[in-house]
Amino acid sequence: MLLRTSASLVLKGLARSPNTTARWFSGTTSRSLTSSMSFSTTTTSPGVVQQQQQKIGSLPRFRQRAEAVEDGGEDGNVTRYEQELLTSYLSAGTIEAAEKIMEDMEAKSTPPKAASYNSLIKLWLAQNRFDKAEEVLRRMKSVGRRPNPSSFHFLLTGCVRMGVNEDHFKDIMEDCRSARISPAKLAALSQPFAVRKQMSSKEVDPFVAIKMPPPKAASHQTNPDEQLSAYQKQLAWETRAIERAVEEYRSDVRSLTQMGKAAELKPSKVLLVKWFQPLSQMIEDQQKLFHQRILALDPKNDSTIRSSFDPDAASRLLSEADRFGPYLLLLPADKIAVLTIHETLGLLLTQPDGVHLTAVAMAVGEAVMNEVNYELLRSISPKSSLPSTSQPSYALRRRLESIEEAEDWCKAMVVQLGAMLVAYFKMTATVSVSLVSNRPSSSILSLLTEPSSLPSSSSSSSETESLGENEKREATEEEKTAESVVQREVPALEHLIKKEKNQKTMGMLRCNVHAFRMISNGHNLRELINPRMLPMLVPPRPWKSPREGGYLTISVPLMRTRGCRKQKDILKTGDLTQIYESLNFLGSVPWKINEFTYNVVNTAWSSGGGYTYLPTWENLKLPDPPEDFIQNPEGRRKWRHESSKIQQKNLELHSLRCDARLKLEVAESCLHEDRVYFPHNLDFRGRSYPVPPHLNHLGSDLSRGLLMFADPKPLGPRGLFWLKVHLANLFGKNKIPFEQRVQFVDEHLEEVADSALFPLDGKKWWYEAEDQWQALATCKEIYEALRLPDPSLYETRLPVHMDGSCNGLQHYAALGGDIEGGTSVNLVPSDRPQDVYSSVVDVVTKLIAADVAKDHPMAKRPQGKVIRKTIKQTVMTNVYGVTYIGARDQIANALKDQKVLEEDEIFPASAYIAKITFAAMQQMFTGARHIMTWLSDCATLVSRKGEVVTWTTPLGLPVCQPYRQPRRHVVSTLLQKVTIIEEDDKLPVSTRKQRSAFPPNYVHSLDSTHMFMTSNKCSARGIVYAAVHDSYWTHPCSVDEMNVALREAFVDLHSQPLLHQLLAQLQQDHPEIDFPPVPPRGDLDISLVLQSPYFFQ
């Protein structure tokens, strides 16, 4: 009863809902256990003891022995290499190879460590082979390895999970008693320290301790929010998020003091509650100290009187190292503790290899700053409560308006405060591990008691090359013996120094491996999501000023200004009426979670993943060691290098798993809502973005497949046609006429129906699409429509996309009146869509052939291997200012995916192809190149005068390029010195960045203007409309009408003399500068866009 078994831990950690839990118990338990074991396998880097051994080994008197070791000339070192090899096989789950190594070691009377036998027991149990696991235990005793508490713990939990008969159960318990292992030691392996320290062997019944608790009866727990209106619920989410978390932690602390209730909490939750109380207490103690110091320096500035307390004045009285202190007094200690825990874990759980300390400190500091600003808002009206009406009261509106007065703190202060809180968290957060009481000086004890000395697993290979895999595995497994096992508290957070590729050293923060496994396996990531950043349940507050709009109570700026004060100032002077109208229209579009897609995604994820954006739960297997591993030093080094690469990929897989879980958590929180909304704001170029970051229609294919419009509309006479076009586009068939795209779908209607009916058990035709999850959702809609006698009556919520044809080049061709360029990007009517990427490939192919004829040394390798996919991203980003290095990396990634070159050939080939692609673009788009050069020259002239480039878009939005020469400032914190980059309008202007960024930024401001103009036209027509930059979305029945609106908007935009207007603005702002004339315009008739069917397609 007091002991949670391994099986229950895994099941509770992976089950995300009652449905998912039921699925696990319906027959896939063994597979899930195997996946979980593989998923949670991480490698701990070598500790300080091994580093000292390296130093000793470098001394002259040890060199001769070290050379002998490398030759495999000493039996002891041969055994060490065998143990390393065995550990690698066990980590990879290769049982047969592992058992062969173990037999060889046992034959030499040098049996493996007890931890190796325990790992083999776990592997057999994961395959439901209890008999084999028992055999390992007997074999362990026969070779003189005394089973330890973990050995029996694994067998007992496996016994319960697999329903082994009671006789086996009693036999194992009898063996356990014979080994003099008390029930309390078994219980200590699973129960958290807060409960464990209160237990004795007399209080624990050995037969009860290991039994799984009976399943609770399914019951629907009523959420108090369900009784509120949507408006009240939204307001509660925003205003009570942190308070509810604090109350929950306090309640859990009380539960931990009661033995009967402690077992009801998940181990991961117990661990968090265990960290909360000491962290809150330490923060409170520091608050008292700062309060006393400030009163001693300035008796009138009393922090207990919040209305008159001036933290800025108090900060100036303190030393530089303590200036963050007054800001610590602005919130209660328990609220700061919750913010610190959630922000820190929110970053560390997605990056098991560690996160830059600066990033963690900044995130924690900003979280506290934002909460303080919100508290300032609430302090204006202390009697605030949830309004009973569905609209804000006058008093509430007044409080909302006051949010504009809240200013951000300086970056140095934010980092200092955040780093201090992270340091407190590191000091107080511990995790309990099992250690051997009679070996206090062992290497593993040193490793655990000095975690800050651990190098990163991604450090340079020279630092870890000579260390065996067995020395990097979980420490406690290696050191548990049959003698006395004691519990030791070690830090849950590790601060380490990592050397980057550029040889710079960076401070990193990461979770201790024990804490990481416990939390990541059992913690609901949604608990770490700031509820204020979820989609809204009611339409966003209309934008009325640069700081008034979006969420009901949360301050969200209209523009993400990147710290540019000038940009903030000029926003207040511009006429933003049309911008406000468009953002309000985009934010008012109601969305809904697509339950069909969600159920398929959830099922695929629960069954182990392995789909696009749903990575498999199983880590990649390590490469097989060479057969002459022990005698071949070079082979060992190569194998370790390959293993390190696989381990890095497994870390990346973990990050992808966290991202998938996060999206599913947000989708689940909105699953039963009738409608959700995405408030929008702008970047500094004028492009719009949804504010909620985790799940929105600007996200990946998975995010888009999970979303649909909330309001259905009948397909009408043309809706089914556009649904089929949309599906063909998702399969990459967007280079053929519309009729052929429809024909493609008609030829696969059987596969469409199979995808809709049997998405995971059928032919999986939908998975052949380029955007699989959106394709699956579209298959479902087409199938449902065709089931009706009249498909035009089918009501669908699915959005259909119309995408621009290399939109940046479309704007350049329109600006320059370039007929040839405009034709290649579909500004001119044609019978079939023009593919600019294929045109560039043709030119690149000719240039490569010419170089081959000239015996160019690099031309032969990529000849015949450059396809559309190879250069697509480079062509797309060329007009947005991609650099040569950026283009080379893009092409290298494409070549890796194509798998047409050897790994050592990819880098030189990508460098050559990048140069050839730039040359091809120069030949094809001369008009665009002339305009880009003119824009760059104008930016150079302005920046040389010490000014940043500013302009106003055709809709009246002022834009300011924020690029200045960075000034680094070193801030001392409790953990380390942190270097931050200051953002200040007093810094010198960066001429290089102003020049290179002006052409792409100007074009981005034009494509955002086109999107806003289309938005306003759709709003006037009553069309539901959403946009992802140059991809415009609407219901299938409205596509034709939206197509007219977006073409009219483009013609209206480019019928203006945009470059001449820009020149006039620059001349007005800088009359002392002699700007070059605007490049001459070609003869392209922009009105032809109105008749071009493939302009957006």
Side-chain angles (χ1 to χ4, degrees):
M1 188 152 30
L2 291 174
L3 187 64
R4 295 177 183 272
T5 66
S6 299
S8 64
L9 288 177
V10 173
L11 292 173
K12 290 189 176 184
L14 296 178
R16 300 177 49 261
S17 67
N19 293 335
T20 309
T21 306
R23 191 177 301 112
W24 282 112
F25 281 106
S26 64
T28 58
T29 307
S30 62
R31 179 178 179 182
S32 44
L33 283 171
T34 306
S35 302
S36 175
M37 289 172 60
S38 178
F39 161 71
S40 63
T41 300
T42 55
T43 303
T44 306
S45 299
V48 64
V49 173
Q50 287 82 1
Q51 293 176 349
Q52 293 171 352
Q53 290 171 347
Q54 286 179 325
K55 292 179 181 179
I56 292 174
S58 65
L59 298 176
R61 59 181 176 173
F62 288 95
R63 286 177 185 165
Q64 185 175 0
R65 182 175 182 274
E67 292 170 0
V69 169
E70 282 300 307
D71 292 336
E74 298 190 15
D75 292 340
N77 288 287
V78 171
T79 302
R80 181 164 70 90
Y81 291 135
E82 286 178 327
Q83 180 68 50
E84 177 183 354
L85 196 59
L86 172 61
T87 303
S88 69
Y89 281 134
L90 291 171
S91 298
T94 311
I95 296 180
E96 293 183 3
E99 288 199 321
K100 186 177 184 305
I101 294 288
M102 295 176 83
E103 290 173 1
D104 292 342
M105 296 179 71
E106 291 166 355
K108 300 176 184 177
S109 299
T110 55
K113 299 180 180 180
S116 299
Y117 289 100
N118 289 344
S119 297
L120 188 57
I121 289 174
K122 288 195 294 184
L123 290 176
W124 281 124
L125 290 174
Q127 297 186 12
N128 289 336
R129 293 298 305 273
F130 187 81
D131 57 331
K132 289 288 187 179
E134 263 193 317
E135 184 180 321
V136 174
L137 184 68
R138 291 193 296 269
R139 176 176 169 184
M140 190 176 180
K141 292 187 289 185
S142 68
V143 297
R145 288 294 186 206
R146 190 175 178 183
N148 56 33
S150 290
S151 310
F152 292 105
H153 173 66
F154 296 147
L155 282 170
L156 288 170
T157 53
C159 188
V160 173
R161 179 175 63 81
M162 287 181 276
V164 178
N165 64 56
E166 190 175 348
D167 292 337
H168 280 285
F169 189 89
K170 291 181 178 180
D171 291 343
I172 298 171
M173 287 305 303
E174 188 61 36
D175 289 342
C176 188
R177 292 190 185 97
S178 300
R180 297 181 181 179
I181 296 175
S182 68
K185 292 179 181 178
L186 289 177
L189 291 175
S190 290
Q191 282 297 345
F193 181 74
V195 176
R196 204 185 296 139
K197 66 182 180 182
Q198 303 176 36
M199 296 178 0
S200 68
S201 59
K202 295 181 180 180
E203 296 173 327
V204 182
D205 182 350
F207 287 93
V208 176
I210 49 77
K211 287 185 178 178
M212 292 176 63
K216 297 182 180 179
S219 62
H220 176 68
Q221 297 182 351
T222 303
N223 187 338
D225 286 344
E226 293 179 0
Q227 306 301 322
L228 303 176
S229 67
Y231 175 79
Q232 290 174 314
K233 192 188 301 185
Q234 177 65 38
L235 198 59
W237 278 15
E238 295 183 20
T239 59
R240 293 281 298 156
I242 304 302
E243 287 85 348
R244 284 184 177 181
V246 171
E247 292 168 3
E248 184 178 349
Y249 275 110
R250 287 173 176 168
S251 174
D252 291 339
V253 169
R254 290 192 295 270
S255 295
L256 272 183
T257 62
Q258 306 174 30
M259 292 294 293
K261 291 187 177 181
E264 297 178 4
L265 298 177
K266 293 187 297 184
S268 59
K269 186 69 172 179
V270 174
L271 193 61
L272 296 182
V273 174
K274 169 188 166 184
W275 294 344
F276 166 74
Q277 201 167 20
L279 175 60
S280 178
Q281 186 61 52
M282 176 171 278
I283 294 173
E284 185 176 347
D285 294 342
Q286 292 299 317
Q287 287 177 329
K288 292 177 182 178
L289 291 176
F290 279 117
H291 172 69
Q292 294 170 0
R293 290 179 59 185
I294 293 170
L295 277 183
L297 295 171
D298 184 2
K300 295 182 180 181
N301 199 5
D302 189 347
S303 63
T304 60
I305 307 175
R306 295 294 174 89
S307 58
S308 62
F309 178 58
D310 185 354
D312 294 331
S315 179
R316 289 191 289 270
L317 299 176
L318 299 174
S319 63
E320 183 176 353
D322 293 333
R323 285 185 178 171
F324 63 85
Y327 297 90
L328 190 65
L329 305 176
L330 298 177
L331 287 176
D334 50 7
K335 184 173 287 190
I336 296 177
V338 169
L339 290 169
T340 303
I341 292 173
H342 282 203
E343 291 295 328
T344 303
L345 293 183
L347 289 172
L348 297 187
L349 285 182
T350 59
Q351 298 292 334
D353 204 30
V355 182
H356 288 171
L357 177 64
T358 305
V360 181
M362 184 65 72
V364 173
E366 287 180 346
V368 174
M369 178 187 69
N370 293 334
E371 190 65 24
V372 168
N373 288 342
Y374 174 68
E375 288 295 329
L376 290 176
L377 166 67
R378 295 182 64 182
S379 66
I380 296 175
S381 180
K383 297 181 180 180
S384 64
S385 60
L386 291 178
S388 58
T389 62
S390 61
Q391 296 297 325
S393 64
Y394 174 75
L396 181 59
R397 290 199 302 271
R398 289 290 303 274
R399 295 200 302 275
L400 299 179
E401 292 169 0
S402 68
I403 226 165
E404 296 185 42
E405 303 301 324
E407 293 292 338
D408 291 347
W409 305 342
C410 73
K411 184 177 288 188
M413 194 70 67
V414 171
V415 170
Q416 275 190 312
L417 177 62
M420 181 272 299
L421 292 172
V422 172
Y424 290 173
F425 189 15
K426 180 179 180 297
M427 293 176 194
T428 57
T430 61
V431 62
S432 185
V433 298
S434 300
L435 295 177
V436 186
S437 61
N438 63 342
R439 296 178 61 186
S441 60
S442 64
S443 62
I444 202 64
L445 180 58
S446 302
L447 182 70
L448 289 172
T449 54
E450 301 182 42
S452 60
S453 64
L454 298 178
S456 169
S457 61
S458 57
S459 300
S460 60
S461 59
S462 62
E463 297 178 10
T464 61
E465 185 179 58
S466 62
L467 295 166
E469 182 71 18
N470 60 309
E471 295 173 332
K472 296 191 284 183
R473 287 178 57 77
E474 183 177 334
T476 55
E477 287 296 328
E478 297 182 0
E479 292 300 310
K480 292 175 185 175
T481 66
E483 285 101 7
S484 177
V485 177
V486 297
Q487 300 301 315
R488 186 183 184 90
E489 295 292 312
V490 299
L493 302 182
E494 301 174 355
H495 177 225
L496 54 143
I497 304 300
K498 172 184 174 184
K499 184 174 289 187
E500 300 281 340
K501 292 181 180 179
N502 57 8
Q503 299 304 309
K504 291 183 179 180
T505 55
M506 301 293 295
M508 306 290 289
L509 191 74
R510 72 180 178 192
C511 270
N512 174 286
V513 62
H514 309 281
F516 181 85
R517 290 178 182 176
M518 184 177 291
I519 298 175
S520 61
N521 285 342
H523 194 57
N524 192 331
L525 279 182
R526 188 172 57 200
E527 297 175 18
L528 301 180
I529 302 173
N530 187 344
R532 303 174 186 174
M533 292 294 118
L534 292 170
M536 296 184 66
L537 305 180
V538 295
R541 200 158 45 104
W543 285 103
K544 296 180 180 178
S545 74
R547 288 193 68 89
E548 184 184 356
Y551 287 94
L552 300 182
T553 63
I554 303 170
S555 177
V556 176
L558 172 71
M559 180 178 285
R560 308 170 189 187
T561 60
R562 299 177 62 172
C564 181
R565 172 59 59 182
K566 183 174 181 178
Q567 178 71 79
K568 295 179 181 179
D569 293 339
I570 61 178
L571 275 179
K572 299 176 182 178
T573 63
D575 181 7
L576 306 181
T577 304
Q578 295 186 74
I579 300 296
Y580 292 153
E581 290 177 356
S582 184
L583 286 177
N584 294 337
F585 176 59
L586 292 172
S588 66
V589 173
W591 296 82
K592 185 177 176 62
I593 300 299
N594 188 325
E595 292 192 24
F596 167 74
T597 308
Y598 172 81
N599 290 332
V600 175
V601 170
N602 197 29
T603 301
W605 178 246
S606 300
S607 61
Y611 294 82
T612 304
Y613 299 108
L614 295 178
T616 175
W617 290 356
E618 297 182 359
N619 283 338
L620 301 176
K621 293 185 178 180
L622 295 176
D624 293 331
E627 294 183 359
D628 56 348
F629 179 86
I630 297 175
Q631 296 80 18
N632 186 354
E634 182 61 30
R636 286 198 299 273
R637 277 190 285 270
K638 184 177 180 181
W639 174 78
R640 288 166 182 160
H641 175 70
E642 293 298 321
S643 298
S644 177
K645 291 171 61 177
I646 296 297
Q647 289 167 3
Q648 182 61 39
K649 290 180 180 178
N650 286 334
L651 292 174
E652 295 170 359
L653 277 176
H654 175 82
S655 297
L656 293 174
R657 294 183 192 114
C658 290
D659 181 68
R661 285 180 59 192
L662 199 57
K663 286 179 170 56
L664 285 172
E665 295 289 354
V666 176
E668 185 178 1
S669 69
C670 302
L671 184 61
H672 301 297
E673 301 295 340
D674 291 334
R675 49 190 60 216
V676 295
Y677 300 84
F678 297 102
H680 286 60
N681 65 356
L682 310 170
D683 68 6
F684 75 95
R685 302 163 301 184
R687 281 189 152 192
S688 69
Y689 295 84
V691 177
H694 305 299
L695 180 69
N696 58 60
H697 56 289
L698 260 75
S700 64
D701 170 55
L702 176 62
S703 297
R704 298 181 183 189
L706 288 169
L707 292 170
M708 60 182 179
F709 293 134
D711 297 324
K713 287 191 176 183
L715 288 176
R718 292 266 292 171
L720 184 58
F721 172 86
W722 286 117
L723 266 183
K724 292 179 178 179
V725 169
H726 179 56
L727 181 58
N729 288 345
L730 296 172
F731 272 83
K733 306 297 182 181
N734 56 351
K735 297 174 286 295
I736 57 178
F738 290 135
E739 290 74 14
Q740 293 183 21
R741 301 182 205 184
V742 173
Q743 182 181 354
F744 165 79
V745 176
D746 289 340
E747 292 172 353
H748 293 86
L749 286 180
E750 182 180 346
E751 288 82 0
V752 169
D754 179 80
S755 298
L757 293 173
F758 312 105
L760 298 178
D761 302 322
K763 300 176 182 177
K764 293 187 181 179
W765 177 74
W766 62 273
Y767 202 66
E768 299 174 13
E770 292 183 356
D771 298 302
Q772 293 99 330
W773 296 112
Q774 294 176 82
L776 176 62
T778 309
C779 286
K780 176 67 171 176
E781 294 301 291
I782 293 176
Y783 168 74
E784 294 295 342
L786 292 176
R787 290 181 63 193
L788 297 181
D790 184 359
S792 66
L793 299 179
Y794 177 71
E795 294 188 345
T796 182
R797 294 180 170 91
L798 194 75
V800 168
H801 315 166
M802 291 287 108
D803 300 344
S805 303
C806 198
N807 193 239
L809 281 175
Q810 288 180 323
H811 283 285
Y812 271 119
L815 285 170
D818 184 357
I819 296 178
E820 182 179 355
T823 301
S824 67
V825 291
N826 295 300
L827 296 188
V828 176
S830 62
D831 295 334
R832 59 187 303 112
Q834 303 299 309
D835 184 22
V836 63
Y837 308 111
S838 297
S839 301
V840 175
V841 168
D842 292 340
V843 177
V844 168
T845 302
K846 292 178 182 178
L847 292 176
I848 292 177
D851 282 348
V852 170
K854 299 175 184 177
D855 292 329
H856 192 287
M858 286 303 305
K860 291 184 179 179
R861 290 182 181 177
Q863 188 177 26
K865 299 179 176 65
V866 178
I867 59 176
R868 183 179 185 272
K869 182 180 179 181
T870 312
I871 52 87
K872 179 179 179 180
Q873 190 178 10
T874 301
V875 174
M876 188 186 305
T877 56
N878 179 265
V879 295
Y880 295 128
V882 67
T883 63
Y884 163 73
I885 295 176
R888 183 193 65 196
D889 293 342
Q890 292 169 350
I891 292 171
N893 290 332
L895 290 173
K896 288 178 183 178
D897 292 339
Q898 290 176 233
K899 299 179 180 179
V900 293
L901 293 173
E902 297 296 330
E903 186 172 353
D904 59 344
E905 296 178 328
I906 289 178
F907 180 83
S910 62
Y912 170 73
I913 296 173
K915 294 178 181 179
I916 294 296
T917 303
F918 280 168
M921 294 286 290
Q922 188 81 32
Q923 290 182 17
M924 295 180 61
F925 301 100
T926 55
R929 187 61 57 184
H930 291 325
I931 295 173
M932 292 173 69
T933 301
W934 179 79
L935 291 171
S936 298
D937 291 343
C938 290
T940 301
L941 294 172
V942 172
S943 59
R944 284 178 178 172
K945 293 291 184 179
E947 298 289 338
V948 295
V949 179
T950 60
W951 70 97
T952 303
T953 70
L955 290 184
L957 178 69
V959 179
C960 174
Q961 292 197 146
Y963 311 113
R964 296 178 179 273
Q965 295 180 12
R967 183 172 65 196
R968 288 172 170 80
H969 179 57
V970 178
V971 178
S972 296
T973 70
L974 291 181
L975 291 176
Q976 66 176 59
K977 290 184 177 180
V978 173
T979 301
I980 61 175
I981 299 177
E982 294 185 346
E983 296 173 341
D984 192 336
D985 284 6
K986 297 179 182 179
L987 296 174
V989 172
S990 173
T991 301
R992 181 184 60 83
K993 294 193 71 174
Q994 290 284 338
R995 173 185 175 86
S996 62
F998 187 33
N1001 286 342
Y1002 179 70
V1003 172
H1004 277 312
S1005 72
L1006 291 184
D1007 69 42
S1008 70
T1009 300
H1010 177 219
M1011 189 277 292
F1012 285 138
M1013 294 174 68
T1014 304
S1015 171
N1016 293 335
K1017 286 181 178 291
C1018 289
S1019 176
R1021 288 172 162 86
I1023 299 174
V1024 175
Y1025 170 85
V1028 181
H1029 304 322
D1030 61 347
S1031 178
Y1032 301 167
W1033 301 14
T1034 191
H1035 285 92
C1037 62
S1038 306
V1039 171
D1040 289 305
E1041 202 167 357
M1042 185 185 71
N1043 277 334
V1044 173
L1046 67 88
R1047 284 161 175 77
E1048 289 178 352
F1050 191 85
V1051 172
D1052 291 346
L1053 173 63
H1054 283 283
S1055 294
Q1056 306 174 51
L1058 296 176
L1059 294 181
H1060 289 86
Q1061 292 173 359
L1062 174 63
L1063 178 59
Q1065 292 179 35
L1066 294 174
Q1067 290 173 336
Q1068 181 179 356
D1069 294 340
H1070 309 281
E1072 74 283 2
I1073 298 178
D1074 183 18
F1075 290 99
V1078 174
R1081 192 179 185 280
D1083 298 326
L1084 175 65
D1085 181 4
I1086 197 61
S1087 65
L1088 291 174
V1089 169
L1090 297 173
Q1091 285 80 45
S1092 176
Y1094 301 107
F1095 167 59
F1096 269 58
Q1097 52 175 314

